[in-house]
């Protein structure tokens, strides 16, 4: 076990994947000499050469589209999209080509492409640098969508994504790039949990908070605070957004009966909506209260000075917990005054 | 606003490279002649046969659509020389990334009778086994496949292989970002790729002048890619130009670009009506440049078009069409649960759950 940041863990994961399989090639803007704007590919050009660490022209559709051609030829391209908001020019190649070619060809053509996306907000970045756009990709059949939340998981999941014969959208929370944790670089990948499984990062008995990405840290902080008030919160890190591990989710809901789903992305038709709909389909009779969402607002991502008002924080999660537990909360006074039912 | 008429659409004074004139006479072409020195009359008759068969496949496709056997068909009538001429220059090991109109290329690569119809009938997303023909699935998104060819070419370079990736696309595609990005990548990495733009003058109802105010082949040099504008209705010139382009790409010099100037005689697809957007006079002018008639005139003038050849070609075309029709009508639609097949390469709990739910629903329905 070694202490390292998520950024270093991702770097180590890429290095290991490239050593394991010489068909793995990296592509993206500035990933070579510079080592990527977040230095996730630092040092890989020196070790593997420019045939395998490919600095590309500044053209996102071009990067993903040429990765498709490389996959046709048996390569396993790992593409870096420099920032979440820059993925849209590549959207057609991702959803119309990468996602569909295996299906269109009845499995004859595989698209083992990993699309790494430095993702989501909380770092005070410029416009188009903080977006949580995972729902677009979760909605697209043929893609797998992964969002990691700690260095150990980042190290393993990235290698699993690269080894997968399916295309994977791999979201890396920028806010956690410098977050440190224990990483076991020597453990066999075969023993690691598959990337499609959710994990309970904190057990609890009163309510379940379901989240992913950087919000896992926020949810853990909320659980710590709730503990002080005598509330036992369970926190589930979904890890995989496509597929979502509903076996783990439903088992948790059956234990606690109360659910809050939290994410940074906007609310309308987001991942939380899907999770809650699926929970009500599967275990409605176990629910003690209507499941709630704590999400970003349905607004364009706001300027940096305002993002703290957009991103769910510890208090908003605790307020939702209070609501599902029927404790005094932000709606109590208003609704009571009107005498209306919550 | 409407586009100006440019030399692109000026068929009277075009400056395309050709070897056989529209009246069938043989011209001297200092640039191209050396690439077809080996082409004898028998080879020309083979090219003639190819074009006649492709036109017959195409007309059968239209007929099958009209009879409700195909959902749609994208005719290539008029473009036989551009497709057959360029495709016959390829080696088996080369890999093609086509659009949806490349019936002649499919034929030249050895497509089976059903391969022409399977996708248009709506049975499968891909018409054929890509590895068997070394053709990627027909591409509907305009220009997307040009990037795939360049990426494949990057793979060829990495492998040190003696192969070329080829992408076919139309004049409309040249307006797409992907096609321009493909040229940037191909040029920057010097990938072994040949871009074949079939300028058939119409992107559904939009004339080529709306896509470009400059000959399309003239754009490529701006990317550092050598190009040639070739008469797309002269099969011999198309063969020669493609040999030049392939030689360039194979020799490690990077990509090459062809603009084959041709004409789509029919509609964009069986779903549209060209009478709404182009006049009969234009069609009549292009009919005089018909690629099959041109080669026949050339062979006839040389006394090299015996009736036995014409009879044999007609018999072969009819047989191919008959086989295509039989294969089409004989296609068996896969069972309901096949809609879930191949979404993912590895198990995916979401899709598996939906498959199980649908299977249970179907089973209950059958029991009821």
């Amino acid at each position: 076990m070694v202490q390292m940041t998520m950024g270093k863990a991702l770097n180590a994961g890429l290095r290991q994947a490239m050593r394991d399989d010489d068909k793995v090639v990296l592509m993206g803007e500035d990933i070579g000499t510079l080592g990527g704007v977040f230095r996730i590919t630092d040092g890989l050009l020196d070790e593997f050469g420019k045939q395998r660490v490919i600095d590309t022209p500044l053209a996102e559709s071009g990067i993903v589209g040429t990765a498709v051609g490389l996959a046709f030829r048996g390569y396993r391209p790992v593409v870096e999209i420099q920032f979440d908001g820059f993925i849209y020019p590549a959207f057609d190649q991702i959803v119309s080509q990468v996602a569909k070619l295996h299906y269109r060809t009845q499995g004859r053509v595989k698209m083992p492409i990993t699309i790494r996306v430095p993702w989501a907000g909380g770092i005070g970045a410029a416009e188009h640098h903080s977006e949580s756009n995972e729902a677009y990709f979760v909605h697209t059949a043929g893609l797998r969508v992964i969002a990691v939340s700690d260095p150990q998981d980042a190290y393993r999941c990235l290698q699993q994504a690269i080894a997968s014969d399916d295309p994977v959208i791999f979201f890396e929370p920028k806010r956690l790039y410098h977050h440190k944790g224990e990483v076991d670089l020597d453990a066999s990948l075969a023993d690691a949990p598959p990337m499609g499984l959710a994990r309970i990062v904190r057990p609890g008995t009163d309510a379940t908070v379901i989240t992913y990405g950087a919000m896992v840290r926020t949810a853990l902080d909320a659980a710590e605070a709730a503990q002080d008030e005598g509330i036992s919160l369970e926190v589930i890190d979904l890890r995989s957004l496509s597929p979502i591990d509903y076996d783990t989710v439903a088992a948790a809901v059956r234990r606690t009966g109360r659910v809050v789903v939290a994410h940074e992305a906007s609310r309308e038709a987001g991942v939380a909506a899907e999770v809650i709909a699926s929970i009500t389909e599967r275990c409605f009779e176990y629910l003690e209260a209507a499941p709630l969402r704590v999400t970003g607002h349905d607004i364009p991502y706001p300027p940096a000075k305002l993002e703290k008002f957009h991103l769910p924080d510890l208090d908003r999660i605790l307020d939702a917990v209070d609501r599902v537990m029927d404790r005094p909360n932000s709606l109590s006074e208003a609704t009571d005054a009107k005498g209306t039912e919550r | 606003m409407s586009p100006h008429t440019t030399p692109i659409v000026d068929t009277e004074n075009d400056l395309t490279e050709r070897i056989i004139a529209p009246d069938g006479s043989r011209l001297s072409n200092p640039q191209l002649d050396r690439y077809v020195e080996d082409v004898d009359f028998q080879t020309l008759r083979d090219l003639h046969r190819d074009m006649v068969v492709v036109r017959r496949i195409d007309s059968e496709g239209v007929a099958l659509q009209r009879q409700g056997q195909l959902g749609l068909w994208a005719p290539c009538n008029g473009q036989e020389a551009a497709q057959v001429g360029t495709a016959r220059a390829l080696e088996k090991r080369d890999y093609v990334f086509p659009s949806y109109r490349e019936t002649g290329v499919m034929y030249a690569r050895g497509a089976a009778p059903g391969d022409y119809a399977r996708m248009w009938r709506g049975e499968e997303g891909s018409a054929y086994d890509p590895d068997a023909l070394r053709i990627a699935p027909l591409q509907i998104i305009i220009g997307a496949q040009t990037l795939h060819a360049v990426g494949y070419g990057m793979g060829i370079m990495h492998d040190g292989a003696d192969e070329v990736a080829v992408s076919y696309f139309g004049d409309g595609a040249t307006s797409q970002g992907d096609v321009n990005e493909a040229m940037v990548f191909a040029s920057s990495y010097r990938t072994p790729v040949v871009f074949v733009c079939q300028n058939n003058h119409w992107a559904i109802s939009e004339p080529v002048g709306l896509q470009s105010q400059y000959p399309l082949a003239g754009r490529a040099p701006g990317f550092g890619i050598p190009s040639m504008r070739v008469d797309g209705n002269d099969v011999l010139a198309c063969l020669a130009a493609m040999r030049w382009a392939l030689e360039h790409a194979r020799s490690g010099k990077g990509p090459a670009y062809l603009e084959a100037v041709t004409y789509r005689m029919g509609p964009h697809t069986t779903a549209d009506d060209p009478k709404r957007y182009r006049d009969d006079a234009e069609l009549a002018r292009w009919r005089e440049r018909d690629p099959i008639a041109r080669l026949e005139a050339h062979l006839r003038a040389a006394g090299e078009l015996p009736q036995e050849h014409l009879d044999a070609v007609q018999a072969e075309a009819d047989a191919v069409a008959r086989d295509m029709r039989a294969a089409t009508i004989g296609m068996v639609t896969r069972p309901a649960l096949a809609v879930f097949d191949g979404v993912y390469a590895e198990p995916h709990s979401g899709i598996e759950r939906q498959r199980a739910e649908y299977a249970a629903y179907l089973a209950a329905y059958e029991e009821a």
Side-chain angles (χ1 to χ4, degrees):
Chain A
M1 287 283 197
V2 288
Q3 278 272 332
M4 62 169 66
T5 63
M6 180 186 281
K8 293 284 189 200
L10 289 163
N11 178 268
L14 285 173
R15 179 176 286 105
Q16 193 58 50
M18 294 184 80
R19 285 176 180 169
D20 289 346
D21 185 350
D22 61 11
K23 290 295 185 188
V24 175
V25 296
L26 311 189
M27 306 174 70
E29 297 157 15
D30 304 306
I31 67 163
T33 313
L34 181 67
V37 290
F38 291 103
R39 309 292 183 267
I40 306 303
T41 53
D42 195 25
L44 300 178
L45 176 66
D46 290 341
E47 180 169 347
F48 299 102
K50 63 181 182 182
Q51 287 261 320
R52 296 186 63 195
V53 182
I54 305 169
D55 265 325
T56 63
L58 204 164
E60 284 77 11
S61 189
I63 296 167
V64 177
T66 49
V68 170
L70 279 160
F72 257 100
R73 207 174 160 82
Y75 284 87
R76 308 183 85 85
V78 182
V79 163
E80 178 175 303
I81 298 294
Q82 202 159 58
F83 284 93
D84 36 48
F86 304 171
I87 202 168
Y88 305 117
F91 196 69
D92 170 64
Q93 286 289 346
I94 295 171
V95 303
S96 297
Q97 310 296 330
V98 173
K100 292 188 171 73
L101 270 160
H102 188 268
Y103 187 70
R104 290 185 63 210
T105 60
Q106 289 83 58
R108 293 181 185 120
V109 175
K110 290 192 167 51
M111 285 288 124
I113 299 174
T114 302
I115 300 175
R116 295 182 37 242
V117 189
W119 164 72
I123 63 164
E127 257 190 309
H128 311 296
H129 287 65
S130 301
E131 307 201 357
S132 296
N133 39 25
E134 61 270 22
Y136 296 117
F137 304 102
V138 173
H139 195 64
T140 299
L143 301 175
R144 290 173 189 275
V145 182
I146 298 294
V148 290
S149 68
D150 73 29
Q152 175 76 76
D153 221 29
Y155 173 72
R156 293 186 304 210
C157 279
L158 183 53
Q159 292 178 73
Q160 290 169 329
I162 294 168
S164 170
D165 276 341
D166 285 317
V168 179
I169 309 292
F170 192 87
F171 285 114
E172 302 169 0
K174 293 187 285 284
R175 196 167 8 147
L176 298 184
Y177 271 145
H178 298 291
H179 165 72
K180 278 190 177 173
E182 296 274 329
V183 180
D184 186 349
L185 295 173
D186 301 322
S188 165
L189 205 59
D191 299 332
M195 66 178 177
L197 294 185
R199 59 176 181 154
I200 297 169
V201 288
R202 179 184 172 115
T205 52
D206 293 329
T208 301
V209 179
I210 300 168
T211 187
Y212 53 90
M215 287 294 296
V216 172
R217 309 299 317 162
T218 312
L220 286 171
D221 291 345
E224 198 65 38
Q227 181 90 41
D228 297 341
E229 297 184 39
I231 300 170
S232 170
L233 279 190
E234 181 166 69
V235 178
I236 292 181
D237 175 8
L238 287 178
R239 300 170 79 237
S240 171
L241 307 181
S242 177
I244 287 174
D245 173 11
Y246 283 113
D247 289 344
T248 297
V249 168
V253 172
R254 290 184 182 119
R255 282 195 301 274
T256 65
R258 300 174 196 275
V259 180
V260 171
V261 185
H263 59 55
E264 291 188 24
S266 302
R267 177 169 304 181
E268 192 82 7
V271 169
E274 178 56 41
V275 169
I276 289 173
S278 294
I279 286 171
T280 52
E281 282 176 356
R282 282 172 176 76
C283 35
F284 180 76
E285 65 275 24
Y286 290 87
L287 290 170
E288 303 287 342
L292 289 182
R293 288 174 282 183
V294 182
T295 69
H297 310 302
D298 288 335
I299 57 172
Y301 198 88
K305 295 292 186 193
L306 303 180
E307 69 179 345
K308 60 178 177 287
F309 306 123
H310 172 68
L311 296 175
D313 59 11
L314 176 153
D315 289 331
R316 282 177 64 197
I317 291 175
L318 288 178
D319 180 65
V321 169
D322 287 339
R323 287 163 64 192
V324 297
M325 295 192 64
D326 207 22
R327 285 159 48 97
N329 60 71
S330 63
L331 297 180
S332 302
E333 196 176 334
T335 50
D336 289 351
K338 289 179 188 166
T340 50
E341 195 178 336
R342 280 198 295 277
Chain B
M1 293 213 299
S2 63
H4 298 290
T5 299
T6 73
I8 294 170
V9 290
D10 180 358
T11 57
E12 305 301 319
N13 303 303
D14 74 65
L15 301 169
T16 56
E17 299 294 337
R18 64 170 62 99
I19 298 175
I20 299 174
D23 66 2
S25 58
R26 176 95 182 218
L27 307 169
S28 166
N29 187 310
Q31 237 184 318
L32 292 180
D33 280 346
R34 77 179 179 90
Y35 288 99
V36 285
E37 281 170 354
D38 63 315
V39 174
D40 57 14
F41 284 111
Q42 184 53 51
T43 307
L44 286 175
R45 278 192 293 271
D46 290 345
L47 291 168
H48 173 261
R49 178 204 61 210
D50 288 347
M51 292 197 291
V52 171
V53 172
V54 167
R55 184 165 291 185
R56 186 71 184 84
I57 291 169
D58 191 64
S59 63
E60 196 67 18
V62 173
L64 284 164
Q65 194 280 332
R66 296 298 184 227
Q67 292 157 7
Q69 296 294 335
L70 301 179
L72 193 72
W73 182 260
C76 67
N77 186 325
Q79 299 180 222
E80 296 86 353
Q83 297 193 8
V84 167
T86 53
R88 281 292 178 217
L90 295 168
E91 301 289 344
K92 177 68 183 157
R93 62 184 182 276
D94 297 329
Y95 208 104
V96 172
F97 291 82
S99 83
Y100 45 78
R101 201 185 297 284
E102 267 67 80
T103 305
V105 179
M106 289 171 64
Y107 173 74
R109 302 292 278 171
D115 291 349
Y116 302 105
R118 199 168 289 112
M119 188 185 86
W120 299 115
R121 189 171 165 88
E123 299 289 0
E124 291 182 14
S126 174
Y128 40 77
D129 180 348
D131 282 339
L133 295 186
R134 294 189 68 74
I135 309 181
L138 300 180
Q139 180 60 255
I140 302 285
I141 300 290
I142 302 298
Q145 75 279 11
T146 55
L147 281 167
H148 306 168
V150 173
Y152 195 91
M154 290 164 70
I156 292 172
M157 285 179 80
H158 289 204
D159 295 342
D162 176 26
E163 300 169 32
V164 176
V166 178
S167 183
Y168 285 84
F169 52 99
D171 46 300
T174 63
S175 296
Q176 287 280 1
D178 275 359
V179 176
N180 290 275
E181 291 185 26
M183 291 206 281
V184 171
F185 276 66
S187 177
S188 296
Y189 298 125
R190 295 169 74 91
T191 49
V193 170
V194 174
F195 297 103
V196 181
C197 172
Q198 290 176 79
N199 174 1
N200 72 11
H201 283 79
W202 291 91
I204 306 190
S205 69
E206 294 179 353
V208 64
L210 190 59
Q211 315 296 337
S212 180
Q213 289 288 299
Y214 193 70
L216 296 168
R219 291 186 185 179
F223 291 93
I225 300 173
S227 71
M228 189 181 294
R229 192 164 196 245
V230 64
D231 187 329
N233 287 11
D234 175 354
V235 70
L236 192 55
C238 288
L239 177 73
M242 192 66 177
R243 285 178 171 179
W244 161 78
L246 288 164
E247 177 187 87
H248 179 90
R250 243 185 260 288
S251 64
K253 293 177 187 160
Y257 186 106
L258 292 184
E259 178 193 0
V261 181
T262 181
Y263 196 77
R264 157 168 57 82
M265 300 298 289
H268 163 69
T269 68
T270 44
D272 77 313
D273 174 12
K275 285 190 167 60
R276 281 176 173 248
Y277 53 79
R278 64 185 190 189
D279 63 39
D280 292 343
E282 180 180 293
L283 192 65
R285 281 203 304 279
W286 278 96
R287 209 174 285 288
E288 291 167 10
R289 300 156 64 98
D290 183 281
I292 296 176
R294 184 186 308 193
L295 186 56
E296 285 181 357
H298 175 69
L299 288 167
R300 189 172 288 117
E304 291 284 349
L305 190 68
Q307 190 59 42
E308 305 87 77
H309 168 77
L310 291 169
D311 293 344
V313 164
Q314 194 55 51
E316 183 173 348
D318 289 343
V320 169
R322 191 176 59 238
D323 293 347
M324 175 183 171
R325 171 170 291 268
T328 302
I329 294 172
M331 285 177 188
V332 178
T333 300
R334 291 174 290 162
L337 289 178
V339 296
F340 295 102
D341 288 351
V343 180
Y344 293 93
E346 297 171 0
H348 182 284
S349 57
I351 207 80
E352 283 163 11
R353 189 179 303 112
Q354 287 192 19
R355 183 201 292 267
E357 286 170 2
Y358 192 47
Y361 165 79
L362 292 173
Y365 193 81
E366 283 163 8
E367 286 164 14

